[in-house]
DNA sequence: CGGGTTATTGATGTTCCGTCAATACGGATC
DNA sequence: GATCCGTATTGACGGAACATCAATAACCCG
């Protein structure tokens, strides 16, 4: 296997490396994720990784962007018209399912909020991803243009959801039912107050 | 200044280095905070920094622990007995004042949640700090032993507060007043529902 | 089947962290 | 105030990891 090369189309090779990098960055944190580990897993040299992605930070950004893009559909909340309580209840289930199913990925993304260390580029990427989720939630809730207040409330609610998921999944201090009840009440209170205006 | 040494009591020197490290880690993120920068600012050699704190990660943990310990008093909410609405209103002001005054420190600590990259030790330290804040809030709210449900609600509320502060201070998408109103309503809803049981 | 394009390599330079024996500062002792 | 000893401090070194670059060889094309 040494001395023989396999030459691929740039797009294919790039995708290979990106996939390898995704695995490595999800498994280890930034500092402990070595370029050589990525290269080995992709079956190439470190030089090639740098050739395609430039620096380690840029590779990391590519991974975060890739995963973040898939985030809004993870918590897809495309539902038919229903009474608000029912709508929120179903959305909440999907939300928590997504947390439960993609713990590692989400913990990497959320952990990377300040992530690589409050990198502005990472912040920008994650901000857009969160906006994507908020937009989907808002769309279901109010068909037309959502108000800025609603968007803010939904974004803040996400912070609550993250904290709740942490207590539930990482620290084991709350059951899924408790978390679900608490978050449902909270969300209803937040958007409910809003429409009284 | 070169060739001449100044020999200090270990405690004093250790404190010097820790202070220097605090500055460096608050100003730069983990990857860009060099041991040499810490050493230079403390007026010593990198060898000595390692001598006192072992590795860079351990130095970082010492800084985080130091700052995290000061966190609960930052948002100290020791207030006289007041009607619940008034109590929450005042606590919220202090909370937001703390955010406004200590942006850099808080952004480092919150960014370090997964921070150095989901380091379990960092998570433990930050968990304790958050528990400290929750305990203070709960103490004001209910003099006797607070229920687990209240603690969970307060912890989750912190997540909402963090998100709100981010939208307000880092992204400039909301005014302080908006955030204050939203968070106040949210907190009241969360703990209000709780007592109906 | 040869020739050229370029994907890929491997060696090399650089930076930074961590270690360790050697050193010299400062209090103790007389 | 001179000397001695414990240890705080240094400076040099080894190693790990990222990044660069000229050299190489695999694949496509005529």
């Amino acid at each position: 296997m040494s001395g023989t090369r396999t030459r691929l189309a740039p797009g294919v090779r790039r995708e290979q490396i990106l996939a390898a990098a995704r695995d490595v960055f999800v498994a280890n944190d930034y500092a402990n994720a070595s370029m050589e580990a990525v290269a080995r897993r992709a079956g190439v040299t470190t030089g090639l990784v740098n050739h395609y992605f430039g620096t380690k930070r840029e590779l990391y950004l590519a991974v975060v962007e890739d995963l973040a893009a898939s985030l809004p559909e993870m918590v897809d909340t495309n539902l038919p018209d229903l009474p608000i309580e029912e709508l929120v209840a179903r959305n909440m289930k999907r939300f928590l399912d997504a947390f439960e199913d993609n713990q590692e990925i989400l913990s990497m993304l959320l952990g990377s909020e300040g992530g690589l260390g409050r990198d502005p580029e990472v912040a920008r990427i994650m901000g857009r991803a969160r906006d994507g989720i908020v937009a989907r939630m808002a769309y279901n809730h109010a068909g037309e243009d959502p108000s800025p207040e609603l968007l803010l409330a939904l974004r803040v609610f996400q912070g609550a959801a993250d904290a709740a998921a942490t207590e539930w999944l990482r620290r084991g201090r709350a059951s899924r039912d408790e978390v679900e009840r608490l978050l449902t009440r909270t969300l209803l209170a937040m958007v409910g107050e809003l429409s009284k205006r």
Side-chain angles (χ1 to χ4, degrees), chain A:
Chain A
M1 200 56 55
S2 71
T4 182
R5 304 182 178 184
T6 25
R7 185 193 179 112
L8 296 180
V12 178
R13 188 40 59 89
R14 187 192 161 87
E15 202 51 42
Q16 269 187 13
I17 297 177
L18 189 61
R22 194 172 47 224
D23 293 343
V24 172
F25 278 122
V26 167
N28 316 288
D29 55 280
Y30 184 81
N32 291 94
S34 69
M35 293 296 259
E36 201 207 325
V38 173
R40 207 178 327 135
R41 175 171 270 263
V44 296
T45 333
T46 65
L48 198 62
V49 179
N50 283 284
H51 174 71
Y52 277 102
F53 291 92
T55 145
K56 179 181 180 181
R57 171 173 170 276
E58 287 171 308
L59 176 60
Y60 179 73
L61 290 179
V63 170
V64 170
E65 183 136 35
D66 188 49
L67 290 178
S70 74
L71 218 157
E73 22 190 336
M74 262 185 207
V75 291
D76 192 356
T77 53
N78 220 355
L79 294 173
D81 282 351
L82 287 172
I84 173 77
E85 284 81 5
E86 185 65 17
L87 194 62
V88 168
R90 294 215 192 170
N91 280 338
M92 197 62 60
K93 283 197 198 308
R94 294 215 182 181
F95 219 90
L96 296 180
D97 284 345
F99 266 111
E100 201 163 17
D101 294 341
N102 307 284
Q103 263 189 77
E104 301 84 4
I105 292 178
L106 284 170
S107 107
M108 176 210 160
L109 284 176
L110 299 181
S112 81
E113 192 83 338
L116 175 128
R118 8 213 246 300
D119 187 301
E121 200 67 16
V122 175
R124 203 181 55 81
I125 295 173
M126 287 304 297
R128 284 178 48 181
R130 297 203 115 107
D131 289 347
I133 299 178
V134 164
R136 287 193 180 233
M137 294 178 76
Y139 177 78
N140 281 341
H141 187 264
E144 64 282 0
D145 274 3
S147 68
E149 289 87 3
L150 176 61
L151 295 180
L152 176 65
L154 290 177
R155 172 63 189 87
V156 169
F157 171 75
Q158 272 189 39
D162 290 351
T166 299
E167 294 296 302
W168 163 39
L169 292 170
R170 293 173 85 83
R171 309 191 67 187
R173 292 203 172 176
S175 70
R176 167 160 178 157
D177 278 359
E178 286 177 292
V179 165
E180 186 169 340
R181 276 200 304 273
L182 176 59
L183 287 180
T184 303
R185 282 199 335 248
T186 303
L187 181 54
L188 283 175
M190 288 174 95
V191 304
E193 279 291 334
L194 210 56
S195 55
K196 297 179 188 170
R197 192 161 295 194

